[in-house]
């Protein structure tokens, strides 16, 4: 009997010991992994502090009034400077116009396939190709929304605004959670601007809008995905993408008007994605220093991820 019992104990130990050993080994691996992650996180947090100081140094050197938001979309670490400061929105307002237009499509108020004939009265000066197209040229609503963003076409923005309506757009802006962004005049309506009627926005509003698109919570996944897809097609790359590698994807929209220069977008990198909004009111005779400032902020941010 005693011999049988000893045999059973030996068999039981033969079964249990490897399992205990594997369990202990896994615990050691998990502990080691957690320790490495903690050390990496601590180093990255220290680097984030250094990066913040570099951004402040760039801001102090800029001859003008900037507002800057940079946000790590994984950790939610955020650098914020003058986030609530009001700036003329210039073409940045085309981002919420696009979002509201895609919302109107979801609600059945707007048909992306509808074909619109260009009228002479639609044409506006400034950026875009439609002002040079002959009256009677036809474009789908979807193409017009695209032109409004990736070519920053003022005429396309004017047509979309007329189709959807300023009241609808402003109500949609509020639904999106924008506090300080409002369309008081059409884009490139310079006569109204000379009368003191201006469209304003803030870095905070633009960052909120972009983050909701990224998280796919701007109205719904469909609206969010459509917006990001169009923003990735932006042709003007003299600000946020200027010093970034050519294979880095940037979903962004620029804005440029008398004495204001902006860029706001999301940068997708192998080591993490970040949101960047830089709005400026500059004092120089030209916009190049403001564009360079925005490009430098983007490069500093990208370098943080690379290191």
């Amino acid at each position: 009997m005693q011999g049988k019992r000893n045999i059973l104990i030996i068999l039981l130990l033969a079964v249990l010991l490897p399992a205990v050993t594997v369990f202990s080994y896994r615990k050691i691996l998990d502990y080691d992994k957690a320790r490495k992650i903690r050390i990496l996180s601590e180093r990255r947090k220290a680097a984030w502090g250094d990066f913040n100081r570099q951004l402040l140094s760039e801001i102090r050197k800029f001859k003008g009034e900037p507002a800057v938001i940079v946000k790590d979309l994984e950790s939610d670490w955020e650098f914020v400077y003058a986030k609530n400061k009001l700036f003329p929105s210039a073409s940045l307002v085309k981002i919420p116009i696009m979002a509201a237009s895609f919302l109107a499509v979801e609600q059945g108020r707007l048909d992306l396939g509808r074909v619109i004939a260009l009228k002479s009265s639609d044409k506006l000066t400034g950026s875009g190709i439609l002002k040079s197209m002959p009256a009677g040229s036809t474009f789908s609503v979807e193409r017009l929304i695209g032109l409004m963003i990736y070519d920053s076409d003022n005429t396309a923005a004017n047509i979309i605004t007329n189709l959807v309506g300023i009241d609808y757009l402003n109500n949609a802006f509020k639904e999106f959670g924008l506090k300080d962004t409002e369309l008081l005049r059409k884009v490139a309506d310079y006569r109204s601007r000379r009368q003191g009627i201006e469209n304003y926005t803030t870095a905070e509003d633009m960052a909120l809008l972009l983050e909701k698109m990224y998280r796919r919570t701007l109205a719904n996944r469909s609206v969010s995905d459509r917006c990001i897809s169009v923003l990735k097609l932006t042709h003007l790359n003299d600000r946020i993408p200027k010093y970034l590698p050519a294979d880095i994807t940037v979903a962004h929209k620029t804005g440029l008007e008398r004495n204001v220069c902006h860029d706001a977008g999301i940068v997708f990198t192998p080591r993490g994605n970040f949101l960047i909004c830089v709005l400026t009111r500059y004092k120089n005779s030209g916009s190049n220093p403001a564009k360079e400032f925005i490009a430098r902020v983007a490069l500093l941010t990208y370098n943080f991820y690379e290191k």
Side-chain angles (χ1 to χ4, degrees):
M1 181 66 72
Q2 183 67 32
K4 288 182 179 180
R5 186 179 299 166
N6 290 339
I7 291 170
L8 283 172
I9 291 171
I10 290 168
L11 288 172
L12 187 62
L13 287 172
V15 171
L16 290 179
L17 276 175
V20 170
T21 303
V22 168
F23 175 75
S24 300
Y25 181 65
R26 284 178 179 166
K27 288 284 285 182
I28 291 168
L29 283 179
D30 289 345
Y31 173 78
D32 190 53
K33 183 179 179 182
R35 183 179 64 83
K36 287 179 179 177
I37 290 172
R38 187 178 69 252
I39 291 170
L40 185 63
S41 178
E42 288 170 357
R43 287 177 180 171
R44 196 172 187 189
K45 198 164 187 178
W48 181 261
D50 292 338
F51 161 64
N52 278 214
R53 285 184 284 275
Q54 289 177 318
L55 287 181
L56 279 173
S57 176
E58 284 294 323
I59 287 169
R60 292 190 186 106
K61 288 186 285 187
F62 178 64
K63 295 179 180 178
E65 301 172 50
V68 179
I69 293 180
V70 174
K71 186 168 186 177
D72 182 301
L73 291 167
E74 182 180 341
S75 67
D76 282 341
W77 294 344
E78 191 175 33
F79 173 89
V80 174
Y81 184 89
K83 67 176 183 178
N84 295 318
K85 188 175 183 62
L86 287 173
F87 289 83
S89 56
S91 285
L92 280 191
V93 77
K94 293 170 185 173
I95 303 178
I97 290 175
M98 169 185 63
S101 299
F102 285 138
L103 178 62
V105 170
E106 294 284 313
Q107 295 173 343
R109 297 173 60 100
L110 194 62
D111 180 3
L112 289 177
R114 178 181 170 185
V115 175
I116 304 295
L118 180 66
K119 296 181 290 189
S120 296
S121 58
D122 292 327
K123 296 182 181 183
L124 293 173
T125 58
S127 56
I129 61 169
L130 293 188
K131 64 178 182 292
S132 303
M133 302 293 286
S137 300
T138 57
F139 305 88
S140 69
V141 167
E142 186 171 24
R143 178 84 192 283
L144 290 170
I145 294 172
L147 288 168
M148 175 179 69
I149 297 298
Y150 52 70
D151 271 348
S152 200
D153 197 296
N154 290 335
T155 299
N158 189 33
I159 296 171
I160 294 298
T161 299
N162 288 338
L163 288 173
V164 181
I166 286 181
D167 288 342
Y168 177 86
L169 291 172
N170 283 325
N171 287 332
F173 295 176
K174 290 176 183 174
E175 284 183 35
F176 296 152
L178 308 184
K179 296 185 294 185
D180 298 300
T181 304
E182 190 174 5
L183 200 62
L184 297 178
R185 60 167 176 80
K186 292 178 183 176
V187 174
D189 180 357
Y190 301 121
R191 180 182 300 175
S192 295
R193 189 178 71 177
R194 284 193 295 270
Q195 294 171 357
I197 301 171
E198 186 59 276
N199 299 323
Y200 287 97
T201 192
T202 61
E204 182 179 46
D205 273 2
M206 289 297 105
L208 173 70
L209 194 65
L210 289 166
E211 184 169 2
K212 284 189 172 184
M213 290 176 188
Y214 178 81
R215 309 266 184 221
R216 307 174 95 180
T217 59
L218 186 69
N220 56 45
R221 292 166 68 97
S222 175
V223 169
S224 300
D225 289 348
R226 285 182 190 272
C227 289
I228 292 289
S229 295
V230 177
L231 288 169
K232 286 179 179 179
L233 300 175
T234 293
H235 295 159
L236 196 58
N237 293 321
D238 61 352
R239 276 156 259 186
I240 289 174
K242 182 176 181 179
Y243 295 126
L244 306 188
D247 61 343
I248 294 296
T249 299
V250 184
H252 71 117
K253 178 74 192 76
T254 59
L256 184 65
E257 205 172 84
R258 181 183 58 193
N259 295 118
V260 294
C261 181
H262 315 314
D263 203 355
I266 296 165
V267 181
F268 299 85
T269 84
R271 294 173 182 254
N273 305 325
F274 62 88
L275 180 154
I276 175 169
C277 295
V278 186
L279 281 60
T280 70
R281 186 182 281 107
Y282 59 87
K283 297 176 181 177
N284 307 79
S285 57
S287 61
N288 284 340
K291 291 177 180 179
E292 185 67 14
F293 168 71
I294 295 170
R296 285 283 305 156
V297 170
L299 178 61
L300 283 171
T301 308
Y302 176 77
N303 286 342
F304 165 77
Y305 283 86
E306 282 300 289
K307 292 175 182 177

